[in-house]
Amino acid sequence: MVQFDNQYRQIKIKIVYYGPALSGKTTCLQQIHRRIDPDQKTKLYSFNTANDRTLFFDLLAFDLGRIRGYRLALQLYTVPGQVQYNATRRAVLTGTDGIVFVSDSQASERQANIESVKNMWANLEANGIDRTRVPIVYQHNKRDLPNLLSIETLNDLLNPFRAPSFPSVAVRGEGVMKGFAAITEQTLVAVAGKLGVGTSPQALDQLRLHVRAAMEPFLAAPPEIEVDSEPEREVVEPASSQAEGPLSDEDLVQEAVRANVAMTDLNTRLDQLRRQLERKVRVLAGIASFGRNLGVEQDPNAVLTRLVETAAELLEVPVASVLLVPPTGGLEEFSVRGEERDPLMGAVSDTGEPLATELAGTGDSRLIVSELQGAGDGGDRLLAAVEEAGYNSAVVVPLAGRKGLLGLLTAYGHPSKSPLGESDLQLAEVLASTASVAYTNAIAWRELQKLNEGLEAQVAARTRDLEASLAEVQRLNAELETANEELKRAYGQLAELDRVKSELTIRIADDLKGPVRSVVTAAQLLTDMAADLPERAGRYGTIISEKARELTEIMENVMQASLLAAAGKSMATRSVSIRDLLKETLAPLRERAKSRDVHVQVLIASGLETVTCAPDLFSAALRSVVKNAIDYNRKGGEAKIEVRHVDQGGTRMIAFRISDTGIGIPKDDQPRVFEAFWRGSSHPEEAGPAGAGLGLAVAKRVVESHGGTIFLESIEGEGTTVTIVLPDESA
Ligand SMILES: Nc1nc2c(ncn2[C@@H]2O[C@H](COP(=O)(O)OP(=O)(O)OP(=O)(O)O)[C@@H](O)[C@H]2O)c(=O)[nH]1
Ligand SMILES: [Mg+2]
């Protein structure tokens, strides 16, 4: 009887392998188990006696995919063949949806086969099952042995309705899967009405196709293997340990069988749960390792590739993809695994946009596409696209970035497996959010690196620029130095020329002094003798005398200009006798003083012998000052030259103090007396031609180039005192 199990959304279908003792029923289940579940994930439960004869039943439970969202849970039972276990057989037969009668083809078993089939009819009747309607196939077994009944004979004896029959060699697996496929198809077609698929020929054909498709891989399996070793199966202790022989109370046996069925059911369920748990653990481990790997991933593309691979692996789906939102909007396939195109990108909506793009645009991109979801119109369109591509379901989750949607992760369920559901969606979400964070980080990291590289490049460029400018500066510096050197050399030459010129000028002027003085003296004599000479001669004498004096002044001016230029340039100093120096200074002025009637007095402090100076220059400077003291004096006045030691800030110096009793200098003029070419406003008429106004300026330059000082004190109408202070080098 078909059982709907709404909790797990499954339909349980019960098929019983019936037949005489030792006909090979258990062997058939072992073969089917090996074929449909080579990894032995499900278990074959057996309730055996000590010598491996079936005591209650064997049970093999497994899923046969889905129809309309319901899982088809097949349960294959065997009955114990031994005659005495009839109560158990009847109990096992309760609610069966289909039967495989396994006969023993040996002629010796003719009667046993007949007894067994009779017994089956009786037990079906006892269970209220119509034997004319229950799906049944025959498997005439042990065709490898000698002395066999023919298939026709067997069918004549056992198969009154001429149900499909298959020869088989169960120990080698031959014919077993064919019989199994046939009964599965028949049974499912028989229960089709109850499944809600209707009874229309098309619907039934569809169902047949579905079952055949599900069975195909097992039928096309590699050559069937002989059961030679002890098959893997779970041996369960019977719930009731009482053997049936002596047990007369049939109800008790039935209870025991029911209890064992329930227990086996529980075991099966437990087994399922264990497998689910194992899968969960595997998934969790997968998530953990995914997170660990992404944590260190710096390449954004590698993050997404890994996401697709991990999603396909952990969700156990054949197709998964990452779709990205490009800067221009819309959606692009970044990576599609298991297909050319992502099914939801391949299918377009009415607006001509891929369905996935439309989904991304709605802002609600977290969904399950499945028959079980009962979605609205949109959902139906999505499901149609998914089924069109050959998948039974899909999950879609968003890849969320900091600034919005980065893209979508999609996964598509294999039609032979349970459709993807809520737990798959959650798993996809965990993977997607982990990857989104890693992706965002990887992009940030890449940008940081780019920025760094840019900075480094900038620094390098600036460094190169700086180095270039530095080289330029160095080159210019070198040029400047060369130019400087040349300038220095030129300057040296010029200075030398200048010096030579000054010396030459001074010497010429000096050399001219003697002859001019003789001319002056001669002219004077001529003037003195004027009375004795013709009148014309006396007049010429006066002219000569005047012009000779003018000439003296001009020479004096030329010399002073030369001295001014020479002062401060390379100056050869030496220690000279002060007395000699003054004698030399005053000699040319003697005549002048006499003619002005000025008395010149010299006082040199005792113990003061020498002064260190450039004698020519210093003497000329001194002479300028004394000459002023004579020129700007009054008749019968006095010009006094005192030389003595003075103390200046603890240093012994030599002071030359030149004072006169002359007209003095007005206060306003005093600050300007040392300026070149400045002439006092009160040049006396009798002082003869005015000088060039260089005297005191030259004196100041000369004194200062000796490291000395010169200053002037004057009281109008009383006289002027000029003091020259020179370092005492002899100290
Ligand atoms: N030669 C041969 N031996 C077979 C074949 N099928 C089963 N056997 C052997 O027959 C014996 C009984 O097989 P089982 O599968 O235990 O028979 P069963 O129908 O389950 O027997 P019960 O549980 O006692 O009713 C075993 O030794 C099998 O190896 C076959 O096709 N050929
Ligand atoms: Mg058995």
Side-chain angles (χ1 to χ4, degrees), residues 648-687:
Q648 210 174 59
T651 311
R652 204 166 73 152
M653 311 285 275
I654 299 169
F656 294 80
R657 198 163 174 275
I658 301 101
S659 53
D660 65 62
T661 52
I663 52 173
I665 303 169
K667 241 190 160 44
D668 291 347
D669 286 348
Q670 284 180 20
R672 303 193 58 199
V673 294
F674 291 109
E675 283 175 20
F677 304 109
W678 182 84
R679 269 198 298 244
S681 49
S682 51
H683 184 73
E685 197 48 48
E686 66 278 15

Side-chain angles (χ1 to χ4, degrees), residues 25-26 52-54 58 78-79:
K25 302 176 290 295
T26 299
D52 254 359
R53 307 284 298 272
T54 304
D58 304 298
T78 67
V79 294

Side-chain angles (χ1 to χ4, degrees), residues 589-651:
L589 296 176
R590 196 148 297 141
E591 201 52 44
R592 201 179 193 96
K594 201 170 150 196
S595 68
R596 296 275 184 288
D597 189 17
V598 172
H599 177 63
V600 178
Q601 195 185 355
V602 175
L603 290 170
I604 300 172
S606 62
L608 193 51
E609 296 289 340
T610 57
V611 66
T612 302
C613 64
D616 285 351
L617 283 177
F618 189 62
S619 168
L622 215 48
R623 190 177 303 128
S624 292
V625 178
V626 177
K627 184 173 160 271
N628 280 346
I630 294 168
D631 284 355
Y632 294 94
N633 222 317
R634 61 179 161 76
K635 254 197 165 43
E638 192 172 79
K640 199 195 284 178
I641 301 160
E642 295 164 277
V643 186
R644 58 188 158 91
H645 275 124
V646 290
D647 183 80
Q648 210 174 59
T651 311

Side-chain angles (χ1 to χ4, degrees), residues 21-27 53-54 80-81 141-142 144-145 169-171:
L22 295 173
S23 67
K25 302 176 290 295
T26 299
T27 309
R53 307 284 298 272
T54 304
N141 196 30
K142 299 198 181 179
D144 58 325
L145 295 179
V169 183
V171 274

